[in-house]
């Protein structure tokens, strides 16, 4: 909500940081059990955030409609998370605490996150583990039966709970079980193969969404008292990413055009441990879990142009560059730092593999120290996956890895209650901006998604609904008619273009522009060039794109075209945000703003704020608002991992 022109008020509760959430819960308005069933909530998305929110709201007694474009919630992209989920249980007795998890997350985000939200996340982390254990999530355990932990980047303690290399999948199955229990109870209704096309806003409030059934092509209205978006991130903007091919920005971008501010869109994360692209026509990249950096050592040859097989390069001629540059954290430096370091050694001509865009992740020392069985118990499925994809055996030769687009810290702006600038529109998980600042630490995405879904939005949404009329929501008003007309018009425009160029080619070209000029490193000149190249590409798309088939059938070409059309508009916003933020912080690295050692250089005097962009209309530049970031408990300092 606006606190003055251009300034946003997050409505953070007063009081000491450690007491804010507890105090806030005590004063939130409540909805009685008898009245909960009179409220209808639409949840868009069925990943960890969406499934946990829908299940929790259904358990409370609300009428919930859950929309998702997969055939089952179990196919949500959350299944791809491999390494683990953070919590401050301190089971290893190594000095961890809620405070330390909070501090590591704030520091890891380069002091560009809201302090109160991050502390709440750390507080709730322990509740998440208890919830998931109660659901039967099979976390890995030590020999004696206690839950095991491992380390992740940006931390010097072992706080990450894991299910071998399948943590996201197992957590999602737990949430799925809770969700299906509510489906059976009749409080949640699932709409599979259904994609949100627009947000409906009436008298300034979110009152529903417009969707399209991806099998029949039917466009439908969904009226509700409140809407929850849990639609994930937008890394597929870069074309090649670790995201599932269907992941997109459409839901949040459509909400932006209806009045929800978009915060820090240029804060995108490049993950350092991905299998390098193998050929020019590759469509998807594969993530190798950050957990591998616990035991794998990253290195490149000391000399440029060294093409010898890794086994023939002596130890003295190897550069373990992360261990050399960051001795305190070594191979477990945060993702943004590890990614830039990999790019730097490859730019120096010391990269490995056919393209020279790769570094080694070597397990020889760990296998010799711990034994093959121990390594297999930790990473066996990851080793198998790597061998199946590359044809190389990581037991005998090092893995080859290189950074790739992975996660987006930017998202729709939300206040402390996770409500956007549109009243009644709540945004959770990766779809919002709130917890990770300019760089997310590993194993924190699952933590945020489940904290938002299980513990936060069920509380704060009730506070909003308590002041909303309990009359049944209607979908026959002018706002719904206008939104449906917009959606139908856009669909018909796509199918009637009848051009000769494929949707895929436009997406690939856009991704190349974004990766080159707004990827791991950015510059003012490069960003301006991107802003010059994107509008003509978008115009060409609407003039020459070829969408086969009809809108009233299962049509993957049409699905893809709608998503790429949104990427072609959204890309401009990302570049504008990157150009306006004249500093380097976390994953946003401006070449003009770096230290003599090549590290990110923040400008706290000018940019210690959240940038939230307001849509101003077609062919008009968006308006940049700010939310100042105040740090009461942690003083921003140079982010050093040396």
């Amino acid at each position: 909500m606006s606190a003055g022109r251009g300034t946003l008020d997050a409505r953070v509760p007063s009081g000491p940081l450690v007491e804010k959430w507890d105090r806030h819960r005590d004063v939130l308005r409540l909805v009685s059990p008898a009245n909960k069933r009179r409220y209808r909530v639409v949840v868009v998305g069925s990943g960890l955030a969406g499934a946990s929110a829908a299940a929790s709201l259904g358990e409370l007694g609300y009428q919930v409609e859950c929309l998702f474009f997969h055939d089952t919630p179990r196919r949500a992209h959350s299944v791809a998370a491999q390494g683990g989920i953070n919590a401050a249980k301190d089971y290893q007795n190594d000095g961890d605490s809620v405070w330390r998890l909070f501090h590591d997350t704030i520091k890891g985000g380069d002091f560009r996150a809201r302090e109160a939200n991050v502390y709440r996340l750390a507080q709730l982390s322990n509740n998440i583990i208890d919830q998931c254990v109660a659901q039967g999530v099979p976390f890995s355990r030590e020999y004696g039966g206690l839950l095991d932990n491992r380390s992740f980047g940006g931390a010097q303690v072992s706080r990450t709970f894991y299910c071998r290399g399948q943590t996201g999948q197992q957590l999602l199955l737990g949430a799925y079980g809770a969700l299906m229990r509510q489906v059976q109870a009749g409080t949640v209704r699932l709409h599979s193969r259904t994609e949100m096309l627009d947000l409906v806003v009436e008298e300034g409030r979110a009152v529903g969404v417009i969707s399209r059934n991806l099998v029949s092509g039917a466009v439908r209205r969904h009226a509700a008292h409140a809407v929850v978006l849990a639609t994930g991130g937008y890394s597929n903007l870069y074309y090649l990413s670790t995201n599932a091919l269907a992941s997109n920005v459409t839901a949040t971008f459509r909400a932006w055009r209806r009045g929800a501010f978009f915060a820090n869109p240029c804060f995108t994360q490049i993950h350092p441990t991905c299998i390098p692209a193998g050929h020019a026509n590759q469509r998807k990249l594969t993530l190798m879990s950050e957990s591998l950096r616990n035991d794998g050592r990253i290195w490149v040859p000391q000399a440029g142009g060294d093409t010898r097989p890794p086994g023939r390069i002596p130890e003295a001629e190897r550069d373990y560059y992360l261990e050399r540059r960051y001795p305190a954290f070594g191979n477990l430096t945060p993702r943004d730092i590890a990614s830039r370091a990999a790019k730097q050694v490859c730019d120096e001509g010391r990269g490995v593999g056919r393209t020279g865009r790769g570094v080694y992740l070597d397990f020889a020392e760990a296998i010799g120290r711990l034994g093959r069985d121990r390594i297999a118990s930790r990473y066996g499925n990851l080793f198998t996956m790597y061998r199946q994809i590359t044809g190389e055996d990581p037991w005998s030769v090092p893995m080859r890895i290189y950074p790739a687009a992975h996660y987006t810290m930017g998202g729709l702006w939300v206040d402390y209650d996770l409500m956007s600038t549109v009243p009644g529109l709540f945004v959770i998980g990766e779809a919002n901006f709130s917890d990770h600042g300019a760089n997310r630490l590993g194993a924190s995405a699952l933590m945020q998604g489940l904290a938002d879904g299980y513990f936060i939005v069920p509380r704060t949404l009730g506070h909003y609904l308590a002041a909303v009329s309990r009359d049944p929501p209607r979908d026959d008003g002018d706002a719904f008619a206008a939104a449906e007309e917009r959606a139908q018009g856009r669909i018909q425009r796509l199918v009637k273009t009848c051009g000769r160029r494929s949707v895929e080619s436009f997406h690939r070209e856009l991704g190349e522009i974004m990766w080159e000029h707004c990827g791991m490193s950015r510059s003012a000149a490069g960003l301006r060039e991107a802003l010059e190249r994107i509008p003509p590409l978008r115009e060409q798309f609407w003039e020459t794109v070829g969408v086969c088939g009809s809108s009233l059938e299962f049509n993957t070409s049409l699905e893809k075209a709608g998503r790429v059309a949104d990427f072609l508009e959204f890309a401009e916003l990302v570049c504008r945000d990157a150009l306006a933020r004249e500093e380097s912080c976390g994953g946003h690295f401006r070449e003009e703003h770096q230290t003599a050692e090549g590290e990110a250089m923040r400008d706290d005097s000018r940019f210690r704020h959240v940038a939230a962009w307001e849509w101003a209309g077609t062919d008009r530049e968006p308006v940049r608002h700010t939310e100042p970031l105040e740090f009461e408990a942690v003083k921003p300092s140079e982010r050093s991992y040396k």
Side-chain angles (χ1 to χ4, degrees):
M1 304 295 289
S2 180
R5 185 170 183 179
T7 303
L8 294 167
D9 178 13
R11 299 189 294 189
V12 174
S14 60
L17 179 67
V18 298
E19 299 176 8
K20 287 183 187 294
W21 176 236
D22 292 334
R23 287 187 177 187
H24 191 54
R25 287 187 304 167
D26 290 342
V27 300
L28 289 173
R29 292 188 293 264
L30 300 175
V31 179
S32 73
N35 285 332
K36 284 188 174 77
R37 60 178 175 266
R38 300 176 64 182
Y39 287 107
R40 187 184 305 161
V41 180
V42 167
V43 177
V44 185
S46 64
L48 280 179
S52 60
S56 300
L57 293 169
E59 183 84 38
L60 288 170
Y62 295 106
Q63 299 179 52
V64 180
E65 292 191 28
C66 184
L67 283 59
F68 50 95
F69 53 65
H70 299 285
D71 56 348
T72 169
R74 291 173 296 171
R75 297 204 186 277
H77 184 57
S78 299
V79 301
Q82 299 167 351
I85 178 171
N86 288 330
K89 289 284 194 180
D90 194 30
Y91 284 167
Q92 303 302 314
N93 196 30
D94 56 0
D96 201 11
S97 64
V98 168
W99 181 266
R100 193 175 294 277
L101 174 55
F102 154 71
H103 179 270
D104 288 349
T105 306
I106 280 282
K107 177 184 175 183
D110 217 352
F111 304 96
R112 290 296 177 263
R114 189 186 296 149
E115 197 177 58
N117 287 58
V118 177
Y119 190 84
R120 176 177 62 187
L121 178 64
Q123 275 182 294
L124 293 173
S125 65
N126 294 336
N127 302 57
I128 296 169
I129 301 303
D130 295 340
Q131 169 89 355
C132 295
V133 169
Q135 290 174 337
V137 172
F139 286 119
S140 294
R141 294 177 181 267
E142 297 175 340
Y143 180 78
L146 299 177
L147 295 179
D148 197 11
N149 296 110
R150 57 190 178 196
S151 299
F152 258 62
Q156 292 179 307
V157 297
S158 296
R159 63 163 67 104
T160 304
F161 295 77
Y162 64 99
C163 309
R164 209 177 182 187
Q166 305 169 351
T167 312
Q169 182 184 43
Q170 298 304 323
L171 291 174
L172 186 60
L173 288 173
Y176 173 73
L179 177 65
M180 295 310 293
R181 178 174 178 270
Q182 295 309 311
V183 172
Q184 181 68 27
T187 61
V188 177
R189 183 181 178 189
L190 301 182
H191 298 269
S192 63
R193 305 297 295 171
T194 299
E195 183 168 26
M196 173 182 158
L197 298 182
D198 211 343
L199 177 73
V200 182
V201 179
E202 188 173 54
E203 297 180 354
R205 294 176 179 268
V207 294
V209 302
I210 302 296
S211 74
R212 179 176 179 268
N213 184 294
L214 299 181
V215 177
S216 68
V219 173
R220 182 179 171 184
R221 307 175 183 185
H222 302 264
H225 294 95
V227 176
V228 179
L229 292 188
T231 52
Y234 47 88
S235 286
N236 275 345
L237 173 67
Y238 291 93
Y239 187 72
L240 283 177
S241 84
T242 65
N243 282 194
L245 294 183
S247 297
N248 61 82
V249 76
T250 290
T252 49
F253 182 72
R254 294 285 122 195
W256 179 60
R257 290 176 66 103
R258 301 282 83 79
F261 289 8
F262 215 110
N264 300 334
C266 77
F267 284 177
T268 57
Q269 182 170 82
I270 310 300
H271 197 294
T273 54
C274 302
I275 298 177
H279 55 82
N281 295 320
Q282 189 163 332
R283 179 63 189 85
K284 174 82 172 63
L285 295 176
T286 303
L287 170 71
M288 298 305 296
S289 171
E290 181 171 320
S291 63
L292 293 168
R293 292 197 277 150
N294 273 276
D295 292 305
R297 300 180 69 193
I298 297 174
W299 63 275
V300 292
Q302 291 274 12
D306 190 336
T307 59
R308 288 177 293 175
R312 297 183 61 184
I313 300 177
E315 192 74 15
E317 297 178 31
R318 300 179 179 186
D319 181 12
Y320 296 90
Y321 58 90
L322 289 178
E323 298 175 20
R324 171 175 56 82
R325 293 178 59 180
Y326 308 100
F329 285 75
N331 295 297
L332 285 175
T333 55
R335 293 174 176 179
D336 58 321
I337 292 174
S339 293
R340 286 196 294 271
K343 180 179 183 297
Q344 181 179 346
V345 296
C346 290
D347 289 345
E348 293 170 357
R350 296 193 287 148
V352 302
R354 181 176 56 82
T355 65
R357 288 287 155 183
V359 299
Y360 288 128
L361 180 61
D362 196 335
F363 290 87
E365 186 273 336
I367 293 170
R369 173 170 46 88
L370 299 172
R372 178 165 175 154
D373 289 346
R374 184 63 172 161
I375 296 299
S377 71
R378 294 177 178 178
Y379 317 114
N381 65 307
L382 298 173
F383 276 49
T384 299
M385 182 172 68
Y386 181 86
R387 184 176 64 248
Q388 290 174 340
I389 292 173
T390 65
E392 301 171 5
D393 181 12
W395 293 106
S396 56
V397 296
M399 292 182 180
R400 290 178 297 106
I401 58 172
Y402 191 70
H406 174 62
Y407 186 90
T408 53
M409 288 74 66
L412 292 182
W413 185 91
V414 292
D415 63 13
Y416 188 73
D417 286 349
L418 304 186
M419 187 163 72
S420 72
T421 50
V422 177
L425 175 64
F426 292 78
V427 191
I428 61 177
E430 190 178 355
N432 75 29
F433 87 100
S434 68
D435 292 354
H436 305 297
N439 175 67
R440 178 177 66 78
L441 292 185
S444 290
L446 306 184
M447 177 173 62
Q448 185 208 350
L450 293 181
D452 290 356
Y454 280 137
F455 299 107
I456 301 175
V457 84
R459 298 271 191 152
T460 60
L461 185 137
H463 174 72
Y464 168 78
L465 291 177
V468 174
S469 169
R470 293 186 292 273
D471 293 340
R474 299 173 60 93
D475 63 5
D476 56 356
D478 292 342
F480 273 94
E484 182 177 349
E485 183 179 357
R486 283 194 302 268
Q488 289 279 24
R490 195 162 179 271
I491 290 170
Q492 294 309 310
R493 185 182 177 191
L494 285 168
V495 297
K496 291 179 179 178
T497 302
C498 299
R500 292 177 175 269
R501 185 171 172 184
S502 70
V503 177
E504 196 77 9
S505 69
F506 282 105
H507 193 185
R508 182 185 295 275
E509 184 173 346
L510 175 65
E512 291 171 352
I513 293 171
M514 294 301 295
W515 182 253
E516 180 179 358
H517 299 300
C518 197
M520 265 193 285
S521 64
R522 297 109 184 246
S523 68
L527 291 166
R528 290 192 181 99
E529 181 177 341
L531 287 169
E532 290 177 0
R533 292 175 61 184
I534 293 169
L537 181 64
R538 184 171 61 246
E539 291 178 13
Q540 188 181 3
F541 172 87
W542 286 106
E543 292 172 358
T544 65
V545 70
V547 176
C548 304
S550 162
S551 64
L552 296 176
E553 62 181 354
F554 180 66
N555 189 335
T556 56
S557 178
L558 177 58
E559 288 176 39
K560 172 80 173 178
R563 296 163 186 169
V564 171
D566 286 333
F567 277 140
L568 284 163
E569 291 190 61
F570 179 67
E572 276 197 75
L573 181 65
V574 175
C575 292
R576 287 186 188 278
D577 187 47
L579 185 61
R581 189 171 282 276
E582 296 180 5
E583 65 164 353
S584 292
C585 56
H588 170 64
F589 188 78
R590 285 285 298 269
E591 296 172 2
E592 306 94 331
H593 304 283
Q594 56 182 303
T595 67
E597 297 178 329
E599 305 289 352
M601 183 183 293
R602 293 197 321 267
D603 186 346
D604 290 341
S605 64
R606 298 172 58 207
F607 294 100
R608 196 174 73 180
H609 60 244
V610 177
W613 295 83
E614 177 185 11
W615 189 68
T618 305
D619 297 326
R620 297 179 62 185
E621 291 191 10
V623 179
R624 188 178 190 268
H625 302 267
T626 61
E627 177 203 333
L629 292 172
E630 303 297 335
F631 294 94
E632 302 173 7
V634 177
K635 182 180 179 181
S637 58
E638 182 181 354
R639 185 166 163 257
S640 174
Y641 291 92
K642 297 183 178 181

